[in-house]
Structures are given as C-alpha cells and as structure tokens.
Amino acid sequence: MNTHVIEAGFPVNSDAEFEAVSDIAAATDTTVCGLARVVEGDIDAAIDSGVEMVHVFVSTSDVQLEDSMHATRQEAKQRAVAAVEQVKDAGVECMFSPMDATRTDPDYLREIVEAVSDAGTDWINIPDTCGVAMPTSFGKTVKAVVEATDARVDVHTHDDFGMAAANAVTGFENGAEQAQVSVNGIGERAGNAAYEEVVMAVESVYGVDTGIDTTQITKLARIVEEASDIPVPANKPVTGRNAFAHESGIHAAGVIENADTFETGVMTPEMVGAEREFVLGKHTGTHSVRKHLVEAGFDPSDSEVRRITKRVKEYGSGKRQVTAGDVERFAEEADVDREEEVRV
C-alpha cells in the first residue's frame, strides 16, 4: 500500500518477536523500524534484527521518571543522548521519543529535545502516551518541538478521549512530517490514531497526496480485524460497515440523487475499496424501498411502494433487521408485478 515506515515490534522482547521483526525487515522494501529502550542491549537487538531505523524512547514526565523509570531528569537525558549516539554509530536511522511528552515540563522537554538533536537523531517523536492532549494544546507542543530541533518531527497519539486522529492531524498542521498510526486504531488501552482515519483526512480534507493506495484500506481493515480478533465497530469511521450505509429516508433520497448531499463530498466508498449501501429499517423512505424493489426485478406503482415502505417501517420498529429478502417477500405478498423478462 506504499506505507512509509513499518514499526514492526520490540526485538529484545522475546526470540519470537525478534524473529518476527527480522522476517518483516527482510520481506519488504519499506523502511522497517524496531523499538528500543535507552538500554544498550535493546538497541543491539534492534540493530541485529536488520531494521533500517531504531526508535529509542525514555520517560520524561516527572511521574514516570519517579515511579516507573526511577531516574532523575539528568540521568534520563544522559541515557537518551548515549542511545542516540549508539544508533547513529551503527549507521542506522534514529528516532527518539520523550515518552509522556504531553505531561512533561515544557522546559525539560525542550532541553532533552535539544540534547538528542545535538547527538544527531534523525527524528523526534512526540508521544501523547496517556492520551490526555487536546488538539489546541498538542499543537502548541508540536510547534515548540519543531522550533527546538533540526530533526524531522513525528507524532504518536493515543485515543483515551477520542482525540487521537484529531491530534495526529493537528501535528501535521504544526510542522510534524509523520504520524504513527495503527490499522483499526488498535493499541494500548483505547488504542492509537487509526491509520484509515488519518490517511483519509489528510488525503480528502487537506488534499495531500500521501502516496498510499487508499483503495486497499477496507481490505486491510478486514485482514487486521480477523487476525487480531478485535472487531471493527459498525459505526467506525471510514471502515465500519455502516460508514457508507444510509437508512434515513431523507438521507437515502438525497444520496440516490447525488451522493454529495449526505456524504462528505470529498471521500467516496470507492476511494477506500468499500461499497455504498442503503439499509432498511424503521427510518427507511420510499426512495430506498423503490430502489430495492427495482433491483429485485419488480415494477411497483407509487401506491405499492408506499405500502411496502409501511411494512418495512413496522418490521424494523421491532428492532429487527430488514433484509432485501424481506422486501422481496413483502412485495410478493402484496402481488407487486415483476418486470417482464426479455429473452433473446
């Protein structure tokens, strides 16, 4: 799909993960990245796995420094600089993350960013590790980091308050060149910024050509859904099964006339490899019912369409799903004529 970088895993975590990262690195021309703490053994494992980029990280918020890492600010900075130097000495591209950046003292954040920049890091990643940033505040953080470094800036956003995709896009607005995303938004706790949401917002709303083959997004979402055993909610943006489904009579009538009336106008189902669907239920109008009847081979009058629509609404009001087969059955029970079959 022309994804720019694949962060394949944490090689030091286990033999199985090391092998998985190595296999991925060997299987693609896409840049593959391995994750590592600011620990010499972690970095050695990542480099040995064959990745082209190593992403090193260290806690920088006071709460994580004191109660997770058990280190001082100065110690964290020293380890960060040493880690970046180790990666660069190996001739590998380096990304550095000040973990929990959005809860880090701004002055210390700038200090550690400047230190690792002087050490030669290629990328600074800004992680909203606990998902607490709002777009306005996150934008200010990104802008401050961009101004403090010559390295390229990347963002990593979590969805604890439903802001992950918005924050990723805000990162771009404030100078970030890359965002870390995951298919279907899966990740720690409430997950990360969703690949499909960020890509399509950038492509469709901002008109930026990412180079990504968006027509495979829905297929990719289904592959990951099956492999992860984490279901995609029906109302999930872009790839949910209802993302391009219309039930309301007003909506369906408008979309049948012109899809831009009740869809975004800048993103079509075809762009993401999906199909538009007209759902039947208690809010269904005559336009959708007529469309289903005609597609099933019936030639209904206006009064017949109204009668069938009434039955669909009554059936759907019982919280039952109304299928195309139900509509066909209603039409047959009402003796609606079928179009004459033409034989040649």
Side-chain angles (χ1 to χ4, degrees), residues 93-237:
E93 193 170 4
C94 183
M95 175 179 287
F96 170 76
S97 286
M99 188 161 66
D100 209 14
T102 52
R103 297 196 300 173
T104 296
D105 175 77
D107 291 336
Y108 178 59
L109 179 62
R110 184 181 186 93
E111 181 182 334
I112 198 167
V113 164
E114 290 176 344
V116 295
S117 298
D118 290 342
T121 191
D122 301 286
W123 288 89
I124 299 286
N125 168 255
I126 308 171
D128 181 27
T129 305
C130 294
V132 297
M134 296 293 111
T136 301
S137 62
F138 191 65
K140 291 178 181 177
T141 300
V142 173
K143 186 175 182 181
V145 171
V146 169
E147 292 173 350
T149 183
D150 291 329
R152 302 172 76 181
V153 174
D154 173 83
V155 296
H156 175 101
T157 57
H158 278 266
D159 211 29
D160 296 72
F161 288 99
M163 297 290 166
N167 281 335
V169 172
T170 297
F172 291 138
E173 290 180 338
N174 286 275
E177 298 182 47
Q178 185 169 272
Q180 297 189 0
V181 296
S182 63
V183 178
N184 299 341
I186 60 176
E188 197 76 10
R189 303 184 314 280
N192 294 86
Y195 181 109
E196 55 280 1
E197 295 174 25
V198 175
V199 169
M200 292 314 299
V202 171
E203 287 265 354
S204 299
V205 179
Y206 290 81
V208 175
D209 182 4
T210 64
I212 290 171
D213 181 2
T214 65
T215 64
Q216 297 194 69
I217 278 180
T218 298
K219 179 182 178 181
L220 175 64
R222 300 293 177 260
I223 290 171
V224 173
E225 179 180 38
E226 181 177 354
S228 66
D229 201 28
I230 299 174
V232 175
N235 63 337
K236 171 78 170 60

Side-chain angles (χ1 to χ4, degrees), residues 285-301:
T286 55
H287 288 79
S288 285
V289 172
R290 181 182 294 279
K291 186 175 187 301
H292 276 82
L293 288 170
V294 170
E295 289 176 351
F298 291 94
D299 183 22
S301 66

Side-chain angles (χ1 to χ4, degrees), residues 2-342:
N2 300 322
T3 300
H4 311 112
V5 178
I6 299 170
E7 187 169 289
F10 193 14
V12 81
N13 184 55
S14 66
D15 290 342
E17 189 149 356
F18 179 92
E19 291 175 10
V21 174
S22 295
D23 288 347
I24 293 169
T28 179
D29 292 330
T30 297
T31 297
V32 176
C33 177
L35 192 63
R37 296 167 298 184
V38 287
V39 174
E40 186 176 347
D42 283 29
I43 297 169
D44 285 338
I47 293 168
D48 290 345
S49 71
V51 298
E52 299 167 90
M53 177 189 290
V54 175
H55 178 183
V56 294
F57 66 94
V58 67
S59 295
T60 54
S61 66
D62 288 336
V63 64
Q64 288 194 3
L65 282 170
E66 294 170 9
D67 297 325
S68 177
M69 190 175 172
H70 305 293
T72 66
R73 289 183 177 184
Q74 185 63 22
E75 288 170 338
K77 185 173 71 170
Q78 290 171 347
R79 293 182 196 178
V81 168
V84 170
E85 291 174 344
Q86 182 182 350
V87 175
K88 295 304 295 178
D89 286 346
V92 178
E93 193 170 4
C94 183
M95 175 179 287
F96 170 76
S97 286
M99 188 161 66
D100 209 14
T102 52
R103 297 196 300 173
T104 296
D105 175 77
D107 291 336
Y108 178 59
L109 179 62
R110 184 181 186 93
E111 181 182 334
I112 198 167
V113 164
E114 290 176 344
V116 295
S117 298
D118 290 342
T121 191
D122 301 286
W123 288 89
I124 299 286
N125 168 255
I126 308 171
D128 181 27
T129 305
C130 294
V132 297
M134 296 293 111
T136 301
S137 62
F138 191 65
K140 291 178 181 177
T141 300
V142 173
K143 186 175 182 181
V145 171
V146 169
E147 292 173 350
T149 183
D150 291 329
R152 302 172 76 181
V153 174
D154 173 83
V155 296
H156 175 101
T157 57
H158 278 266
D159 211 29
D160 296 72
F161 288 99
M163 297 290 166
N167 281 335
V169 172
T170 297
F172 291 138
E173 290 180 338
N174 286 275
E177 298 182 47
Q178 185 169 272
Q180 297 189 0
V181 296
S182 63
V183 178
N184 299 341
I186 60 176
E188 197 76 10
R189 303 184 314 280
N192 294 86
Y195 181 109
E196 55 280 1
E197 295 174 25
V198 175
V199 169
M200 292 314 299
V202 171
E203 287 265 354
S204 299
V205 179
Y206 290 81
V208 175
D209 182 4
T210 64
I212 290 171
D213 181 2
T214 65
T215 64
Q216 297 194 69
I217 278 180
T218 298
K219 179 182 178 181
L220 175 64
R222 300 293 177 260
I223 290 171
V224 173
E225 179 180 38
E226 181 177 354
S228 66
D229 201 28
I230 299 174
V232 175
N235 63 337
K236 171 78 170 60
V238 184
T239 57
R241 286 161 177 77
N242 288 350
F244 298 97
H246 303 274
E247 178 183 333
S248 166
I250 296 172
H251 285 228
V255 169
I256 289 171
E257 184 72 23
N258 177 1
D260 288 357
T261 54
F262 287 99
E263 288 182 2
T264 66
V266 290
M267 178 175 67
T268 66
E270 292 78 16
M271 288 170 67
V272 298
E275 294 182 0
R276 183 176 293 108
E277 184 179 2
F278 294 93
V279 180
L280 300 168
K282 63 181 180 181
H283 298 120
T284 296
T286 55
H287 288 79
S288 285
V289 172
R290 181 182 294 279
K291 186 175 187 301
H292 276 82
L293 288 170
V294 170
E295 289 176 351
F298 291 94
D299 183 22
S301 66
D302 290 347
S303 62
E304 287 172 334
V305 170
R306 288 194 294 271
R307 288 204 305 274
I308 303 303
T309 301
K310 183 179 180 181
R311 286 208 60 185
V312 168
K313 287 177 177 288
E314 290 171 348
Y315 196 78
S317 293
K319 295 185 178 180
R320 289 175 289 188
Q321 182 180 8
V322 184
T323 66
D326 291 325
V327 176
E328 189 168 349
R329 175 167 56 83
F330 297 156
E332 290 172 346
E333 290 173 355
D335 293 325
V336 177
D337 292 335
R338 287 187 181 270
E339 292 182 348
E340 292 186 8
E341 184 178 5
V342 178

